[in-house]
Amino acid sequence: MRRIACRQHGLELEEAPRPTPGQGELLIEVDAIGVSLPVVRLKGTNGEVPGGDVVGRVAATGPDVTGWEIGQRVAGLAFTGAYAEFATVATPFAAPVPDEVDDAAAVALVRGGQVALGTLWAAAMRPGESVLVTAAAGGVGHLAVQLAQAFGASRVVAAVGDDTKAAFVREIGANEVIRYDKPDTDPVDIVLDGVGGQAQTATLPLLAPFGRFVSFNAAGEPVDVNELRFHARSVIGFAMAHFASRRPEVYARHRRELWDLNVQGKLRPAVHAVLDLTDAAEAHRVIEARANLGKIVLTP
């Protein structure tokens, strides 16, 4: 099979044997691969095959795997080995895909949707609260904007790095758009931050009393707990691995909710580009430049 591996000089296409599913794993014949910023940031050099979100069909099952059929459509998280024609996925991180959900939507929702919905769950969002989303045009951010609106936010503020993304985030539901270097907006109840750095510095002070700042997928700046106490603010860390393994019932419920919202037309994943597997380096370049509007998808 073909796969993309990380080598000293970058991403390289190579031939490799088809993997064998292990205990509790599915082997998936891959139709689509989602590219995400955390994976792009992990620049390996020793032949690692990047991980990612995959959608395809079950090609084989590992020992003690039940409830899955060969040929069944599936979406899942492959922590390694995703950039390939075949990938293995542990069954806790795999989900059947309804026929009504297309490949691009499924690959966007299986991780990006779970992160967006999970951060709102971590923030305990209530209808009528205001929500600010950083990287609002990205793979997770553009879904969080839509979800916040679907759950009754009084106001959704999209934070972006440059003005070229303003029209896109307004089209998907943002009521306001701000830039990190000009954070001019009224206080908000919730900030969902997947950027860190300048974005965290700009948006943390925008929290109203009893506001919640949820940090995910980014290297954050140090936080002064005295400042949090003085303003009655909270900072929450969200990590998908802990969420999926320690809250499996919520993770499963969210998965069903995401499929339903997509079928109902209330959650519309945006696809920036669909590229061939051999163009993985270009996909990484776009993600690193923060130039994407929505998800980038690779097809083998």
Side-chain angles (χ1 to χ4, degrees):
M1 69 167 189
R2 298 184 310 157
R3 71 181 188 185
I4 296 290
C6 299
R7 299 294 179 185
Q8 186 173 359
H9 302 293
L11 300 177
E12 294 184 5
L13 181 70
E14 62 183 30
E15 291 288 334
R18 183 184 301 186
T20 300
Q23 191 89 16
E25 289 185 335
L26 302 175
L27 177 66
I28 298 176
E29 185 173 5
V30 177
D31 293 321
I33 305 153
V35 182
S36 61
L37 182 60
V39 171
V40 171
R41 285 173 169 159
L42 297 173
K43 298 179 184 296
T45 59
N46 299 315
E48 302 95 335
V49 178
D53 329 312
V54 297
V55 172
R57 295 189 179 275
V58 177
T61 59
D64 298 328
V65 171
T66 59
W68 292 90
E69 298 179 0
I70 304 302
Q72 185 175 0
R73 195 155 171 255
V74 60
L77 306 182
F79 293 100
T80 61
Y83 288 26
E85 292 177 319
F86 290 85
T88 56
V89 171
T91 53
F93 296 97
V97 181
D99 291 338
E100 300 87 351
V101 180
D102 64 33
D103 283 350
V107 85
L109 294 177
V110 68
R111 178 191 171 277
Q114 281 278 13
V115 172
L117 186 49
T119 55
L120 287 169
W121 172 83
M125 178 198 164
R126 297 181 295 271
E129 291 192 306
S130 51
V131 180
L132 186 152
V133 181
T134 69
V140 172
H142 86 284
L143 298 173
V145 168
Q146 296 178 64
L147 287 168
Q149 288 287 18
F151 297 153
S154 61
R155 174 169 128 258
V156 178
V157 182
V160 296
D162 63 76
D163 293 330
T164 61
K165 299 177 180 180
F168 171 75
V169 293
R170 287 189 184 278
E171 182 181 346
I172 62 173
N175 303 112
E176 297 177 34
V177 183
I178 64 170
R179 287 188 354 207
Y180 306 130
D181 58 347
K182 297 179 180 179
D184 184 16
T185 188
D186 292 333
V188 295
D189 298 302
I190 295 169
V191 172
L192 307 180
D193 177 38
V195 180
Q198 180 191 16
Q200 176 188 311
T201 301
T203 57
L204 183 55
L206 297 176
L207 278 181
F210 305 109
R212 290 87 73 199
F213 184 101
V214 182
S215 175
F216 67 97
N217 287 352
E221 298 293 321
V223 175
D224 185 340
V225 294
N226 287 317
E227 281 294 310
L228 295 179
R229 179 167 53 85
F230 292 154
H231 297 284
R233 297 166 177 157
S234 301
V235 173
I236 302 164
F238 180 86
M240 176 56 71
H242 292 301
F243 177 57
S245 61
R246 294 174 180 268
R247 297 290 186 274
E249 70 291 346
V250 182
Y251 183 78
R253 186 178 74 240
H254 283 185
R255 181 176 64 225
R256 295 189 296 270
E257 189 169 2
L258 291 165
W259 296 150
D260 290 344
L261 288 168
N262 177 246
V263 171
Q264 295 165 14
K266 297 178 181 179
L267 183 60
R268 306 183 310 278
V271 176
H272 180 86
V274 178
L275 303 175
D276 189 81
L277 181 63
T278 56
D279 294 321
E282 171 63 12
H284 280 211
R285 185 195 67 77
V286 174
I287 293 286
E288 284 183 300
R290 297 278 189 169
N292 57 302
L293 302 177
K295 193 73 171 176
I296 293 184
V297 178
L298 300 175
T299 60

